[in-house]
């Protein structure tokens, strides 16, 4: 069926008429800041403490806009006889936002969670060369990164949290076991001490009582005559 001549024009005018009847809303920026979505891709923030200079973000960047410099330092052995180790120390981490296309690949491939999206977007410059921001500026943007969204009610617990909780529970159980063993040892030592003191006291009492009775009996037999025997002559009898 052939379209009716002028139907397209009528539809366009209808849209125009509907728009004309609505109230115009103007965002009063910069006096009123816009309400950005939670996952807005404004700028990239750097959490420097987590960066191990693995260079993975710079290698995977399709625009080659990440510049990283580092040097190696020797770490002394942690224990006597141990082996010294070397670690990478970050000297420079810069991103050229005049080349960045905000794909987020660098954030996704970072294995140590050192890069994050920040909703900050007010970093325009008058010179394109000033759009290369160093790690100090990237670190300032890190504090504007919103907190991660809460997990769903039925979601599984992250493996990192489960492993950390398992280790904490294991250490707590070992501490309780050691405390119980220490309490049992203290109780056993106390009972042994009390038994030893009681034994010594009993032995001392028994020895004293036996000695006193024997002496008294011997004295009585020496001085008192046996009534069944006839009385002997007394001193003074003729």
């Amino acid at each position: 069926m052939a379209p009716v001549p002028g139907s397209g024009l009528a539809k366009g005018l209808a849209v125009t008429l509907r728009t004309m009847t609505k109230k115009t809303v103007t965002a009063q920026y910069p006096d009123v800041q816009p309400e950005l979505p939670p996952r807005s891709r404004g700028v990239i923030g750097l959490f420097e403490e987590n960066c191990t200079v693995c260079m993975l973000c710079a290698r995977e960047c399709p625009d080659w806009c990440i510049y990283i410099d580092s040097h190696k330092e020797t770490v002394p052995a942690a224990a006597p006889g141990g082996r010294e180790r070397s670690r990478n120390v970050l000297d420079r981490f810069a991103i050229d936002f005049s080349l960045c296309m905000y794909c987020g690949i660098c954030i996704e491939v970072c294995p140590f969670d050192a890069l994050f999206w920040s909703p900050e977007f007010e970093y325009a410059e008058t010179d394109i060369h000033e759009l290369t921001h160093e790690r100090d500026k990237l670190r300032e943007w890190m504090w504007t990164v919103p907190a991660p969204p809460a997990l769903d009610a039925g979601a599984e617990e992250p493996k990192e949290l489960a492993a950390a909780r398992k280790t904490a529970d294991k250490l707590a159980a070992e501490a309780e076991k050691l405390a119980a063993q220490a309490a049992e040892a203290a109780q056993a030592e106390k009972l042994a001490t009390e038994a030893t003191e009681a034994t010594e006291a009993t032995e001392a009492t028994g020895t004293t009582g036996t000695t006193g009775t024997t002496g008294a009996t011997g004295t009585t037999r020496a001085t008192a005559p046996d009534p069944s025997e006839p009385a002997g002559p007394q001193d003074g009898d003729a």
Side-chain angles (χ1 to χ4, degrees):
M1 181 178 179
V4 179
S7 60
L9 178 62
K11 290 181 180 179
L13 291 176
V15 174
T16 302
L17 291 175
R18 286 197 303 270
T19 306
M20 290 176 62
T21 57
K22 294 181 180 180
K23 182 179 179 180
T24 302
V25 178
T26 303
Q28 302 297 327
Y29 178 81
D31 297 332
V32 179
Q33 293 293 325
E35 295 182 1
L36 301 176
R39 300 180 64 183
S40 298
R41 296 188 175 188
V43 75
I44 299 174
L46 171 66
F47 192 56
E48 186 176 337
E49 285 77 2
N50 286 358
C51 182
T52 60
V53 200
C54 65
M55 306 295 292
L56 192 58
C57 57
R59 289 197 301 266
E60 296 295 332
C61 178
D63 293 332
W64 293 89
C65 63
I66 301 178
Y67 311 110
I68 300 176
D69 294 330
S70 65
H71 70 277
K72 289 186 176 294
E73 286 186 356
T74 301
V75 180
R83 185 180 61 180
E84 295 182 348
R85 299 180 180 273
S86 62
R87 66 186 180 104
N88 294 322
V89 179
L90 184 66
D91 294 329
R92 185 194 183 199
F93 194 108
I95 299 178
D96 187 354
F97 287 99
S98 65
L99 298 177
C100 179
M101 63 180 185
Y102 302 90
C103 63
I105 293 178
C106 58
I107 298 176
E108 294 176 1
V109 301
C110 180
F112 300 104
D113 293 334
L115 298 174
F116 296 87
W117 278 118
S118 167
E120 181 68 32
F121 63 92
E122 296 176 326
Y123 55 95
E125 302 290 347
T126 57
D127 188 355
I128 192 173
H129 297 92
E130 296 179 358
L131 285 174
T132 301
H133 295 288
E134 301 293 334
R135 63 177 183 175
D136 295 338
K137 188 64 176 179
L138 299 179
R139 184 180 180 84
E140 292 180 7
W141 283 327
M142 181 62 207
W143 311 126
T144 62
V145 174
L151 297 177
D152 296 336
E156 295 182 358
E157 187 179 37
K159 295 180 180 180
E160 295 81 3
L161 291 179
R165 184 172 290 105
K166 184 177 179 181
T167 303
D169 294 342
K170 183 178 179 181
L171 293 176
E174 291 179 355
E176 292 179 359
K177 184 178 180 180
L178 293 176
Q181 292 178 352
E184 292 178 359
Q187 184 67 18
E189 184 178 357
K190 181 180 179 181
L191 293 176
T193 303
E194 292 178 354
T196 302
E197 293 177 354
T199 302
E200 293 177 353
T202 303
E203 292 178 354
T205 305
T207 303
T208 304
T210 303
T211 303
T213 304
T214 303
T217 303
T219 304
T220 303
R221 287 180 179 178
T223 57
D226 190 353
S228 61
E229 297 180 355
Q234 298 296 328
D235 296 338
D237 294 341

